[in-house]
Amino acid sequence: MRVRDYFLGKRIAVIGIGPHGEMLADIKFLVKANALVSVYDLRSEARLAGHLSSLRSFGLANQVLGSVPVDDLMDMDLIILSHDYPRNSSFLALARKNGIEIEYPETLFLKLAPPVSVAGVMGTCGKATVISMLAPMLAKTCAQNDQACAIIDPESEEGILAHLKKLKSGDLVAMRIVPKMMPEITALKWSPQVAIFTTVPPRNSFKGSAFEIIGYQTYNNHVIGDDQIIDAIKVSGLQLKGKMLRTKTSILPENWLPHAKTPSDRENAALALQTARIFKVPDETAEAVLSEWKPLKGHLELVKKLKNVEFVNDSASESPISTVANMAALAGQKNLVLIFGGADQGSDYREFYVAAKEYTHTLIAIPGSGTLKERSALQRIENINVLSAPSLEEAVRQALDHARKGDKVLFSPAFEACGIDCSRKERGERFVRAVRAL
C-alpha cells in the first residue's frame, strides 16, 4: 500500500506541534495526503502565536489550543503525539481503552517505511554531533548511487513522517533516537540495522535490559560503540545476532578533524567514520566532511568575552555525563563558574558533584524539578560556592559577579529543559541574550 493511500480519508488527531513547531512539516504532509487532520495543543494561542499562520494555511479539519477534548479523540482513527505528551496522559485514557491507535512520529514512520537500512544513533549525549558528521557522508554516497538518504531528527523542522514521500526500498536513513523513544521503538520488536551508541543508554530509556533495543537485530546487522559499550553489552547477557564493532579514536587520522574542541568530538567522529565504512563511504569522502565539520550551536559555543571572562553556551547538555565531560574539556585550575539545572530525568549525579569540586569554584543552580530534587546533595558540597538564581538571566548576572579574571562561565544544564524553556535550543537562546545584555 502506498503511504498516501494509508492516510487517505483517515481522521487523525495530532497532539502537540512541538516546542518550535517541529510537527508542522508532518501536519502539512498528512493534509496533503488527504487525511482529515485535527491539531490539539495544551499551550495557549498566545504561546503558539508564531505558528498560527502556518496552521491556518494547511486546511485543517479542526484546531483546538489550550485543551485536548476527550470526546474529540473518540472520533479519530489515529492519534499522533509529539514528544511533549506521554502515552499515559490523562486525556488519552479513554482512547486507549477504546483501542484507538496511538503513535509517535518515529513509530509510525518505522511501521510505514519501505525496506530501508536504518543507522540509529543512541546514548545520553553526542547523538546530534554524530548525526551532523555522518549525515553528509551518507548523503554524498547516496547521491552517487541513486539512493535517497533521510535524516530523522525529532528537533528538525523537516519533520519525520514527511520523509516517507521520498523513500523507496534500499534507501538509507540516519535516525537520532532520543531516550524516551527507545522503549517505544523496542515495543515494535524492531532494531536499527546499524546501532550506534555514544554512551550506555540512560535508565529512562529502557524497561528491561539497557540494550534491549538491539535485541531484534539479525546476522547482517551491526552494533558500534567504544570499549565501554561493547563490554557493557557482553556483561548484560544479551544474545545478539548482529556483529559488534569496537571503535577507537585511533582509526581517525590526527588531521581529519581540525575544528574539534573536546576529546568527545574525536570519539563521535570515530563512531561516524566506523558507520560510514559499513555503508561503503570512501575514506576520501569522510575526510572531506570531517575536515569541514564545525561544532554545533549550543555545544561549547563561545558567546562573548567580557572583563577577561569567557561565557560559553553548552545548553545542549541534558545529562551529567555530558556536563562532566565538557567541564573537563574547559577547566584549568578551578577556573569555572557553572550554571546548571532543569527538569528531573532520573539521572545519577554523583560523578557530577565530584567533577564540580575539581573543576569549579562556583555553582549557580536555576529552577527545575531536577534541581529541586538534588537540593540536599548540593547543600553538602564543600569548598565551593553553591548559589541559587530565580532565573537564567539572574544566574548570568551572578556568574559575572563571582567570576575572576581568566575564568570561564559555562552554561551546561545537565538536566532537561523545563518551564518557559520548551527546548534546549530555547534555553540556549535565552542564555545568549542574557550574556549579550551584560
Side-chain angles (χ1 to χ4, degrees), residues 340-344 365-376 378 415:
F340 75 104
D344 179 33
I366 56 177
S369 58
T371 316
L372 185 62
K373 184 178 177 181
E374 296 296 319
R375 182 172 57 184
S376 60
L378 287 168
F415 293 86

Side-chain angles (χ1 to χ4, degrees), residues 288-367:
V289 169
L290 294 177
S291 295
E292 295 178 358
W293 179 86
K294 293 183 180 179
L296 303 174
K297 281 192 172 184
H299 295 70
L300 292 183
E301 173 192 8
L302 178 62
V303 178
K304 185 177 182 178
K305 190 170 185 178
L306 180 66
K307 298 180 180 179
N308 207 24
V309 174
E310 294 182 358
F311 287 80
V312 181
N313 176 22
D314 190 43
S315 59
S317 169
E318 293 181 319
S319 74
I321 293 174
S322 176
T323 295
V324 167
N326 291 335
M327 281 194 287
L330 286 186
Q333 303 298 320
K334 289 179 72 72
N335 66 331
L336 290 186
V337 176
L338 178 69
I339 301 174
F340 75 104
D344 179 33
Q345 55 184 351
S347 295
D348 185 338
Y349 285 85
R350 284 175 292 184
E351 290 188 16
F352 169 84
Y353 297 127
V354 172
K357 290 179 67 174
E358 180 178 356
Y359 299 125
T360 76
H361 61 76
T362 302
L363 291 177
I364 304 176
I366 56 177

Side-chain angles (χ1 to χ4, degrees), residues 34 72 87 116 243 248 275 309 346 370 390:
N34 293 314
D72 283 15
R87 282 186 184 270
V116 294
K243 182 179 180 180
K248 300 181 183 296
T275 306
V309 174

Side-chain angles (χ1 to χ4, degrees), residues 383-394:
N383 302 322
I384 61 174
N385 298 318
V386 180
L387 311 173
S388 295
S391 68
L392 181 53
E393 290 76 11
E394 177 59 26

